[in-house]
């Protein structure tokens, strides 16, 4: 499922992804503190995507980044 780009997924990994609402809230809370225009653009793209999908669709995304980090550290 390719809704999020690699850059978006990397940024998402910094937030609580347990629910769509928590991720959305975290991104919206962080936005006023971001001064890099590229980072602002990425956050706004993620927010836009999160607002158009429902919770059922969100739950289908494998936001378990531990497998990536475990493989990288082996």
């Amino acid at each position: 499922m390719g809704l999020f780009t690699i850059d978006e997924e990397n940024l998402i990994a910094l937030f609580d992804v347990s629910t769509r609402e928590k991720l959305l809230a975290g991104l919206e809370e962080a936005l006023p503190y971001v001064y890099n225009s590229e980072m602002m653009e990425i956050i706004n793209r993620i927010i836009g995507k999160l607002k158009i999908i429902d919770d059922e669709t969100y739950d289908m995304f494998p936001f378990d980044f531990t497998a990536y980090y475990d493989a990288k550290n082996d």
Side-chain angles (χ1 to χ4, degrees):
M1 202 175 247
L3 180 62
F4 298 103
T5 67
I6 297 296
D7 289 338
E8 291 168 350
E9 288 181 2
N10 288 336
L11 187 60
I12 289 169
L14 301 174
F15 293 88
D16 181 354
V17 295
S18 59
T19 67
R20 184 178 63 90
E21 291 82 16
K22 286 184 180 181
L23 176 55
L24 190 55
L27 290 165
E28 289 174 337
E29 288 173 11
L31 198 53
Y33 303 101
V34 176
Y35 299 103
N36 178 287
S37 61
E38 184 178 350
M39 189 68 66
M40 289 172 108
E41 180 182 324
I42 294 170
I43 291 173
N44 281 318
R45 277 197 323 251
I46 297 169
I47 289 171
K49 292 175 182 182
L50 290 172
K51 286 184 175 183
I52 63 170
I53 64 173
D54 59 15
D55 291 334
E56 188 175 303
T57 303
Y58 178 82
D59 290 339
M60 292 178 7
F61 288 97
F63 288 122
D64 181 11
F65 299 105
T66 56
Y68 168 78
Y69 292 111
D70 289 344
K72 187 174 181 181
N73 291 323
D74 283 341

